[in-house]
Amino acid sequence: MEFFNNSVVPYFNYWIYVILMMIGLHAMITKNNLIKKLIGMTIFQTAIILLYVSIGVKSGATIPILAHHHDDHGEETESAHHGEPDHGHTEADAEAHAKAGAPSEVEKPDRPGDGEYEKEKKDDHHDHGDPHHDSHAVNPDHFANPLPHVLMLTAIVVGVSTLGVALAISQSIYRNFGSLEEDEILAKIKQGGSGADV
Amino acid sequence: MKWFGLIATVFTGILLLSAVPDFAKFGDPNSPANGGVGDTPSVSQYFITETYNDTKVPNLVTAVLADYRGYDTMFETVVIFAAGIAIFSILRSFSGPVIPSHPPTVDTSVHGDHQRIIIGMTCRLIIPIIQLFALYVVAHGHHSPGGGFQGGVILGASFILLALAKDLNAALGRFSEKRYLALGSIGVIIYAGFGLAAQALQRNFLDYEILHKIMPATDPIMARSHSMLGVEVGVAFTVTAIMFAIYANLSSKGRLEQGL
Amino acid sequence: MSDQLPAILLLAPLFGALITGLVGNGDHRRCFPILIASLTISFACAIGLLGQVIQNGTIDYFMGGWGTDRAPLGVGIQLRVDALNALLLLVITTVALLVAVYSLRRAGEENTEKTPQFYMLFQMLCVGLLGITVTADAFNLFVLVEVSSLTSYALVAMGSKPRGTVAAFNYLIMGTIGASLYLLGVGYLYMKTGTLNMVGIHEILLDPEVGQSSSIFVAFILILVGVWIKMAFFPLYGWLPNAYSYCPSTSSCLLAPLMTKVSVYVMIRVMLSVFGAEWVFQSLGWSHTVVWLAVIAILAGSLLALAQVELKKMLCYLIVAEVGYMVGGAWLANHWGMVGSLYHILADAFMTLCLFIAASIFIKRRQADRIDQLEGLFKKMPLTTAGFVVGALAMIGVPPTAGFFSKWYLLRGGIEAGQWGYVVALLVSSLVNAVLFFRIIEIAYFGKNPVESHGHGHDDDHGHEDETQQGQVGGSTLLSGEGRPATLIPLLISAAIVILLGVFNGPIVEIIQQALEGLPVIGTATR
């Protein structure tokens, strides 16, 4: 129980990904049917995607999209997801729109040693606990890490493409050998020739 | 073989789990990936704090995908394009013996007629809305989850729906093989074209900022935002075309005559 | 313009593929000029880059302009050309250009309606390989590995041989496992360092608190195993012989010289640039084990090659042995071992190209794959034979071919490191290669005049008697019995390059040493 609480629970995402990945690997190695191998491959890749996405999670953080024009009462301004009018916003405007606030000012994150980022005035009216009200302060702790999401978008597309090519090859094998079971295909190859009527 | 597979799997699993105590706990905002190592903030910190200043795009994921790591995304589009071409070259057969498939299960009774009418009418109503939604997802990727890949898949799915509801030939009639192969190439050309345009203006490949010189009435920052939309459109074209190409080839065993 | 060379190098074949997609479907004859034009531009860029690197040192290119002046390192994707990969870029573009010329006749005959698609896959494969070589971003490497892998699966599966599709499926499964393991390793690295840029990762790994943690070890193992699968290092080589033997001949001429060599480059790049030689050879301390694995790879490859009756399969097992040379050389943990390994990458690409083109010409000529069916062929095709013999001599390690010098450097490294098993393996494999090739030369030169029978060939390309008769009469051939110029010229050029690489090994080794100055390999091996 001790082991469970200390080693598994805070790291449960890693345990899950390892278990999933091993299920996929087992399927790829041991299954006879080609399509089952491909399903194993998909599970294998999905486990890796899960791992990456779980790295970027921060407790209490929201999705990595900066939300604007939301204030305490959930009122949205007309340009709820800012369109043209926003381009004209300057710092003066941002001060005026203090409550609604567009994050045109960036607050230096509360970390030592970040000299290159400009210190901007923090707006004290904002409730830092609620991530949706972030306006002047783009506090990195309030947003999930966007980089793993980006990487996994790419990985998912790559996985889908590989699966598509694999299915095409499987169909081609079926056309040539009449079977999708690996042992039958190997037997036909040993007999000599493709065994197909092509 | 089964024993070997089991042993290999268990061994690999133990190897991977052995490193787990070394990692950051789930949800830790100060892990090296999220916060940074030592004094240097991680790359993600830069993305979260500076993206809006650099690009005026609130969706951080789209900004990183299309601008900062746009080169990766271009190759992702090339991957999916290559997959479409690969499936075409592996499966597509223009001649040769007809592979005996099960006879088409088209129900020709009156009941079947009614079913086809219902399905046909429903699809006729829904498909335009799906396509409109797909365009919305592409265009709104700057502000909400979305973007080129997502919108392209939805758009491709609308054609697949047509093929499933009616017949593959109906969908091919609207989106013929020549067209979708060409559209796939055009999508990647659009993407790479943005990069080349930047190179023509004496900057590095895919440096969108300099494109404000050829885009009317934009400043360098908005040029990034608009170029991102442009490359997302390119991505959407390619993904649409290839999604449908994959379906068309896989469902008809490469003969493009009769689908599922 | 001249600072945009890294980008143009990659964009030329990419646009070549895209334009082929647009205009090639209409008229197949338009594909070929586009192919040659794009690969020539790439070739010119590679020469330009080599010149720039020799003069000015390492070149950095930031995609999207996100250089270190605008944003911290790792925000954008960085390309880095140093002396190490400048040479490899030149090799890739040269091999691609030669195979492109070779493909003029072959591809058209084998896949007529899909010729545009074949050329598109060809060029996209080149883009992938070139991109792998120049990138300095770990995740970008994965994406480009997938680009090259997907196109290679398709190139293997495209053929008319049914066994090719089964081989392609196995290749796909193994390749995906390899790439996924690499991705997992990069994920572990990202978890511990927070950046994806190779230079950035290296700097963070220098801190022992990060660099000596167990997850970094596991990350290295994952990346290493992933790359080993991709280069067909023993015991993960199962996919290679089938995949390269049963694919169309043009595809095999393109894939065999390049794919495994680029994977070896990736391993060396990860070892030296990301983890650093000190970490790999001292903290990990595995060099002894890996060199022994390499010894087994060399011996297994050579002995299995002896047992083969099909010509192309034999060459594939020789590739497995060659990969053993390179991995062993890199893990000897000393200067000459690494130099030998890198030089061997360059030399082996051309040797393999030579042998595969010659083998393809022979097989096409005889419509048969087996070695014992090559009887008497050498007398009829002297020029092709000359090319084959040059490749064979390079494999055996006869001066002045490049093969001799690469073995020389590897032996020197092995002796210095005290890895006698490796030294013995190198010598044994040279001997075995000699036996192999002299057996072929004996059959092909002194064999009786062949009876053109098709009884044995169960894996024929086209099993028609008529075509054989035509080929025998030699209706449309240039010299009596030789192939067309388009197939002959690449063979002769690559044979010439094999010899030139050997003769000029001095300057080339100097360039390699210039690269290694920036990435020091420690002088002593650890046991």
Side-chain angles (χ1 to χ4, degrees), chain C residues 291-292 295 298-299 414 418-427:
Chain C
V291 173
W292 275 106
V295 167
I298 299 173
L299 294 174
Q419 300 275 15
W420 300 107
Y422 184 68
V423 171
V424 169
L426 278 180
L427 297 172

Side-chain angles (χ1 to χ4, degrees), chain C residues 140-389:
Chain C
N140 188 234
L141 190 81
F142 166 73
V143 179
L144 287 160
V145 162
E146 285 294 343
V147 169
S148 58
S149 303
L150 264 179
T151 45
S152 65
Y153 304 150
L155 284 173
V156 169
M158 249 177 111
S160 47
K161 291 184 190 160
R163 281 191 79 169
T165 45
V166 179
F169 190 85
N170 277 330
Y171 177 25
L172 188 147
I173 297 274
M174 293 297 288
T176 307
I177 298 181
S180 303
L181 286 177
Y182 173 82
L183 179 63
L184 195 55
V186 169
Y188 276 40
L189 279 179
Y190 175 65
M191 271 198 269
K192 291 302 284 186
T193 61
T195 179
L196 292 168
N197 186 296
M198 286 188 190
V199 179
I201 295 178
H202 182 66
E203 279 170 21
I204 296 181
L205 285 181
L206 288 175
D207 175 9
E209 198 183 292
V210 179
Q212 303 297 326
S213 50
S214 58
S215 47
I216 301 292
F217 282 107
V218 176
F220 184 75
I221 296 174
L222 290 170
I223 295 180
L224 196 65
V225 175
V227 179
W228 276 353
I229 295 179
K230 290 238 135 234
M231 69 168 85
F233 183 62
F234 189 92
L236 304 159
Y237 67 93
W239 57 269
L240 190 139
N242 285 331
Y244 290 174
S245 322
Y246 299 119
C247 67
S249 57
T250 330
S251 309
S252 67
C253 292
L254 181 63
L255 293 172
L258 292 178
M259 295 290 295
T260 45
K261 315 299 172 292
V262 173
S263 305
V264 173
Y265 161 78
V266 170
M267 179 185 79
I268 294 181
R269 174 63 76 193
V270 166
M271 276 167 59
L272 294 184
S273 292
V274 178
F275 287 90
E278 257 193 50
W279 189 95
V280 171
F281 295 128
Q282 289 191 317
S283 315
L284 193 58
W286 274 11
S287 33
H288 201 57
T289 324
V290 176
V291 173
W292 275 106
L293 267 179
V295 167
I296 301 177
I298 299 173
L299 294 174
S302 308
L303 293 173
L304 284 170
L306 260 183
Q308 297 304 315
V309 290
E310 291 174 25
L311 180 59
K312 268 211 178 148
K313 261 215 176 146
M314 181 198 91
L315 293 177
C316 294
Y317 280 106
L318 284 180
I319 297 182
V320 173
E322 299 285 329
V323 167
Y325 290 6
M326 291 186 264
V327 173
W331 279 84
L332 283 174
N334 66 22
H335 179 78
W336 286 111
M338 193 63 80
V339 166
S341 184
L342 290 167
Y343 181 77
H344 196 64
I345 293 180
L346 314 174
D348 192 51
F350 287 106
M351 293 194 299
T352 316
L353 180 65
C354 228
L355 288 171
F356 265 83
I357 294 185
S360 303
I361 298 179
F362 290 151
I363 290 178
K364 189 75 179 176
R365 192 51 197 284
R366 279 295 159 83
Q367 302 288 334
D369 299 359
R370 297 167 61 104
I371 298 178
D372 48 12
Q373 289 169 319
L374 294 175
E375 294 172 349
L377 199 53
F378 283 13
K379 283 197 211 139
K380 291 188 173 296
M381 310 175 85
L383 284 179
T384 317
T385 311
F388 186 81
V389 166

Side-chain angles (χ1 to χ4, degrees), chain B residues 18-39:
Chain B
S18 69
V20 164
D22 203 23
F23 293 145
K25 297 197 164 99
F26 179 64
D28 180 9
N30 290 320
S31 68
N34 293 336
V37 182
D39 281 341

Side-chain angles (χ1 to χ4, degrees), chain A residues 17-48:
Chain A
Y17 114 79
V18 169
I19 294 174
L20 269 180
M21 198 164 114
M22 289 305 109
I23 293 175
L25 188 63
H26 182 82
M28 269 202 278
I29 298 179
T30 56
K31 292 287 178 193
N32 220 2
N33 187 316
L34 296 185
I35 302 296
K36 289 188 185 171
K37 280 188 200 270
L38 291 182
I39 295 179
M41 180 178 91
T42 314
I43 297 177
F44 188 80
Q45 290 176 323
T46 308
I48 299 180

Side-chain angles (χ1 to χ4, degrees), chain B residues 15-16 18-19 22-23 32-33 37 42-44 46-47 54 67-69 71-72 74-76 78-79 81-83 85-86 88-95 181-182 185-186 188-189 192-193 196 199 202-207 209 224, chain C residues 4 7 10-11 14-15 18 21-22 61-66 70-77 79 113-114 117 120-121 124 127 137 139-140 143-144 147 150-151 154 157-158 188 190-196 204 213-215 218 222:
Chain B
L15 174 69
L16 291 172
S18 69
D22 203 23
F23 293 145
V37 182
S42 73
V43 173
S44 320
Y46 178 86
F47 285 145
D54 283 335
D67 188 352
Y68 294 100
R69 295 191 72 94
Y71 178 66
D72 247 358
M74 184 179 84
F75 277 109
E76 184 186 341
V78 170
V79 164
F81 178 64
I85 300 296
F88 176 93
S89 54
I90 293 173
L91 268 192
R92 186 87 173 87
S93 65
F94 297 93
S95 59
L181 286 179
S185 304
I186 290 177
V188 188
I189 290 182
L196 269 190
Q199 276 198 306
Q202 311 297 329
R203 289 287 197 103
N204 277 355
F205 186 66
L206 288 177
D207 191 350
E209 199 174 63
R224 286 194 185 276
Chain C
Q4 300 293 329
L10 294 164
L11 289 175
L14 180 62
F15 272 97
L18 297 170
L22 281 182
Y61 186 90
F62 288 91
M63 280 293 170
W66 291 107
R70 262 203 244 178
L73 187 69
V75 168
I77 296 180
L79 301 184
E113 311 108 345
K114 302 181 187 170
Q117 278 70 29
M120 289 164 79
L121 290 169
M124 284 194 276
V127 174
D137 184 282
F139 189 78
N140 188 234
V143 179
L144 287 160
V147 169
L150 264 179
T151 45
M158 249 177 111
Y188 276 40
Y190 175 65
M191 271 198 269
K192 291 302 284 186
T193 61
T195 179
L196 292 168
I204 296 181
S213 50
S214 58
S215 47
V218 176
L222 290 170

